[in-house]
Amino acid sequence: MARPTTRTAIVTGGSGGIGRAVAERLAADGYAVVVHYSGNERRAAETVEAITGEGGTAVATRADVADENQVVALFDSTERRFGGVDAVVHTAGIMELAPLAETEFDMLDRMLRTNVRGTLAVAREAARRVRGGGAIVTFSSTVVRLALPTYAGYAATKGAVEAMTLILARELRGRDITVNAVAPGPTATPLFLDGKDEATVSRLAAQSPLERLGTPVDIAGAVSFLTGPDGRWINGQVLAPNGGAA
């Protein structure tokens, strides 16, 4: 077991584009990082190798974030290995797009299960386990405010994430634990770019006055702020790293 002074972070979805950047940034900030993944073991292993190759500490752990028993096991294994949990960053999520009139309920149910039930399951365990001085960060999306066509179902799930996050911040009164949501704007990740043609990508990039898409590193910087010493007075907020797109 690591020394009790080791700060430990769980990053769900840590094998993905934003999740991997977050995991690598928190490791560089001094955290031992648990890289959670749901299916892609190879990419999770690559994230761990990238962190350990730079002298950091990381392990990969598999779990279904919407299965409360598997989430409990994820936190149990983290506490056994590192002695406690100091930060939980929940980047795991799925996005499926369709006009509202064409939305299939199977598609909506999948997003509700992962994005809403999964956030609640992870946040519930984080609220029970994170040590004083720690941080909980969930992930929403700027599309909640942009109101883009085809995003109705996805934006609805992320609106629910924001509501849960702000309520949890108030429920943890007196615990010295910050709870915030990060709501990225259009970000160049496989999840975002999948199925979009070049014209669509260019149009979305132009929404920001900076006239580019965000990068996973941009988003990881926001998470680093919220989980670091300079972010201790930021609580119960939705931080939107989107280049001014909304």
Side-chain angles (χ1 to χ4, degrees):
M1 182 178 293
R3 293 174 300 171
T5 54
T6 299
R7 293 187 302 164
T8 303
I10 296 174
V11 179
T12 69
S15 63
I18 289 176
R20 174 169 177 167
V22 168
E24 292 180 356
R25 176 58 186 268
L26 293 188
D29 289 346
Y31 283 93
V33 179
V34 175
V35 178
H36 157 271
Y37 68 100
S38 62
N40 200 321
E41 184 176 5
R42 177 184 59 80
R43 289 178 61 185
E46 290 172 355
T47 304
V48 169
E49 289 171 7
I51 290 171
T52 57
E54 293 295 322
T57 300
V59 296
T61 304
R62 183 174 185 170
D64 175 357
V65 294
D67 183 321
E68 63 271 29
N69 294 321
Q70 292 188 35
V71 172
V72 168
L74 169 65
F75 278 77
D76 284 345
S77 66
T78 300
E79 289 182 335
R80 284 194 301 270
R81 187 175 188 105
F82 295 110
V85 182
D86 301 285
V88 175
V89 183
H90 181 55
T91 79
I94 62 173
M95 179 173 65
E96 299 187 49
L97 306 180
L100 190 147
E102 300 171 17
T103 296
E104 298 290 340
F105 283 97
D106 285 349
M107 179 184 82
L108 179 62
D109 288 344
R110 286 192 295 272
M111 288 194 289
L112 287 169
R113 184 180 188 278
T114 298
N115 298 353
V116 180
R117 180 187 173 97
T119 297
L120 193 149
V122 171
R124 185 179 74 162
E125 210 57 34
R128 296 171 174 177
R129 311 275 194 125
V130 169
R131 296 186 283 206
I136 300 170
V137 180
T138 63
F139 262 68
S140 178
S141 171
T142 292
V143 299
V144 174
R145 292 155 190 79
L146 289 176
L148 298 175
T150 75
Y151 280 84
Y154 177 71
T157 68
K158 291 304 185 177
V161 168
E162 291 189 9
M164 287 189 287
T165 302
L166 303 188
I167 290 169
L168 180 59
R170 286 149 181 80
E171 291 178 343
L172 295 187
R173 174 181 292 274
R175 294 271 305 278
D176 190 25
I177 297 169
T178 61
V179 187
N180 295 287
V182 170
T187 305
T189 66
L191 177 68
F192 175 78
L193 296 173
D194 183 44
K196 294 182 176 67
D197 59 29
E198 185 174 344
T200 299
V201 172
S202 296
R203 176 174 55 81
L204 291 170
Q207 289 182 322
S208 164
L210 300 178
E211 296 188 331
R212 68 172 177 87
L213 294 177
T215 69
V217 171
D218 291 326
I219 312 308
V223 174
S224 175
F225 169 67
L226 291 174
T227 57
D230 291 338
R232 294 308 301 168
W233 194 232
I234 309 300
N235 190 34
Q237 304 299 316
V238 179
L239 180 63
N242 59 30

